[in-house]
Amino acid sequence: MGSRILSRSFGVEKWQSDADDDHDHEGNTSIGSSMDVDEQHPTNSDAQDDNEDDDREDDDDGHDSSDTAMVPMADMLNARYGSENAKLFHEKDELKMIATKPIKSGEQIWNTYGDLPNSELLRRYGHVDILPLPNGEKGNPGDVVEIRADAVVNAISEAHSNLTTESFTERIDWWLEEGGDDTFEFDLELEYPEAVLSIVRLFLLSGPEFEKAQAKGKPPKPKADAEVLPILQQVIRERLKEYPTSIEEDVALLQAENLSVNLRHSTVVRQGEKKILTAIYAKLNADLRQHGSGNQNKRKSDRQPEVKSHKKSKR
């Protein structure tokens, strides 16, 4: 129930000063609903005092200075990826829903939740977006798949058993200290995230090469070569094994008329993620063949990954 209430709430900036009553500012994206609200700018003296207060509040509870508010009727607008034509703005004593594009008579008014992937839309707001995609299929253009850094570490440790635990730990700690990511997002653009290429190459460096990287304070350049791509193959293959069904089984499941709304939405989410992973895997195979690794041997990893079917799965 708490998440349901918060999904209908809006993050609005605290009113800072009367000095800006007569000034309008561009809306910033609110926290609770991703609807836009009018941002107010305090005077310099007020800003300094407020920043000090905010720092104390942040230290106390980890939250910023935004208020979470219930706004009657403001959540009545539907939202859809890339369709936004209205935003919510607020002044001191009132809120305004303002059209940001021409809207024809009878045309739907769309709010925005920030063009989120279906996994986030379902988690936060209980719905998913299904739209035509450039490849002719349907789904959410904003869909992504997150892969954790430990999945990369596991794949490297399997492929290079000579690497010690101490070596892994030292390099992971340095990567994080340098601001490296601990999760990597793959999306429908099917580009390899630069961070994942860099961290794989980091683990494959020799001892002297790693010391040189430390001295420079720079992780290795992201390069998708014949040494890195097989590691990514293993990562993607293992990620696909985490799903209880295949894409074909999801397609058949979505055709069922008696499917509950929640199960239908969750199936759409995992289907979209698997389509991204499968397309990335196919690209990896093609890139490896281009690098000439396909001439060395016909490896199992060069085949399309199998996703085990668990017919009795509760997901």
Side-chain angles (χ1 to χ4, degrees):
M1 180 60 72
S3 62
R4 286 285 184 125
I5 293 174
L6 286 176
S7 73
R8 302 298 191 272
S9 65
F10 300 83
V12 294
E13 295 293 329
K14 288 183 178 178
W15 190 261
Q16 303 289 348
S17 170
D18 291 335
D20 296 324
D21 284 355
D22 298 327
H23 299 281
D24 292 331
H25 304 282
E26 292 184 0
N28 70 300
T29 303
S30 68
I31 298 170
S33 70
S34 290
M35 298 184 78
D36 282 358
V37 296
D38 182 67
E39 185 179 11
Q40 302 299 327
H41 301 282
T43 62
N44 291 337
S45 59
D46 288 340
Q48 183 175 357
D49 293 339
D50 288 337
N51 287 338
E52 292 175 356
D53 292 338
D54 292 346
D55 290 340
R56 285 193 293 270
E57 289 178 5
D58 291 345
D59 292 338
D60 291 339
D61 55 21
H63 297 293
D64 61 21
S65 61
S66 294
D67 283 337
T68 299
M70 300 300 294
V71 185
M73 300 300 293
D75 67 331
M76 296 298 291
L77 297 183
N78 288 330
R80 187 176 66 184
Y81 184 98
S83 301
E84 167 198 335
N85 56 17
K87 292 183 181 181
L88 181 69
F89 295 85
H90 81 83
E91 299 178 359
K92 182 177 182 180
D93 299 314
E94 62 184 358
L95 293 128
K96 295 179 179 179
M97 185 67 71
I98 302 176
T100 57
K101 299 177 182 178
I103 303 175
K104 297 179 181 179
S105 176
E107 184 180 352
Q108 182 160 188
I109 301 175
W110 295 101
N111 177 29
T112 177
Y113 290 156
D115 292 343
L116 299 172
N118 277 338
S119 56
E120 282 298 298
L121 287 176
L122 181 58
R123 183 179 70 85
R124 296 186 188 185
Y125 309 113
H127 75 275
V128 296
D129 280 347
I130 303 177
L131 300 167
L133 299 175
N135 61 6
E137 299 183 0
K138 289 187 177 182
N140 185 335
D143 272 348
V144 299
V145 180
E146 288 188 351
I147 291 182
R148 291 163 53 95
D150 54 3
V152 177
V153 173
N154 292 338
I156 294 173
S157 64
E158 290 182 14
H160 300 271
S161 56
N162 58 313
L163 296 176
T164 64
T165 302
E166 291 75 13
S167 176
F168 274 115
T169 302
E170 182 182 13
R171 298 182 189 206
I172 290 171
D173 290 343
W174 182 75
W175 170 266
L176 295 176
E177 288 172 1
E178 292 297 316
D181 297 329
D182 58 2
T183 59
F184 313 102
E185 286 190 355
F186 293 79
D187 57 33
L188 287 167
E189 296 294 327
L190 304 184
E191 298 293 336
Y192 307 132
E194 291 188 354
V196 76
L197 297 176
S198 182
I199 194 173
V200 171
R201 294 194 65 210
L202 173 65
F203 288 119
L204 298 179
L205 293 178
S206 65
E209 289 172 334
F210 175 55
E211 292 176 358
K212 187 176 180 179
Q214 284 181 302
K216 290 183 176 180
K218 294 181 179 180
K221 293 182 179 179
K223 184 178 179 182
D225 54 27
E227 192 175 18
V228 171
L229 295 180
I231 301 297
L232 290 187
Q233 269 192 325
Q234 176 67 10
V235 171
I236 300 298
R237 187 164 53 249
E238 292 301 315
R239 182 68 170 83
L240 277 165
K241 289 180 180 178
E242 296 178 9
Y243 295 98
T245 58
S246 67
I247 292 178
E248 293 74 20
E249 288 172 318
D250 286 343
V251 171
L253 183 59
L254 289 171
Q255 292 175 350
E257 295 181 358
N258 60 345
L259 200 62
S260 69
V261 172
N262 287 341
L263 182 54
R264 184 176 297 278
H265 287 171
S266 62
T267 302
V268 168
V269 169
R270 72 186 183 203
Q271 183 187 55
E273 292 179 347
K274 282 182 284 189
K275 285 182 177 180
I276 293 174
L277 291 170
T278 302
I280 288 289
Y281 194 89
K283 180 182 178 181
L284 285 165
N285 284 336
D287 288 348
L288 274 171
R289 285 193 293 269
Q290 187 175 359
H291 280 287
S293 64
N295 296 328
Q296 297 177 7
N297 54 1
K298 274 286 185 181
R299 307 165 20 165
K300 289 183 178 180
S301 61
D302 207 27
R303 297 199 301 264
Q304 197 68 8
E306 295 182 359
V307 181
K308 294 183 179 180
S309 172
H310 303 285
K311 296 182 178 179
K312 296 183 179 180
S313 172
K314 295 181 179 180
R315 289 187 61 180

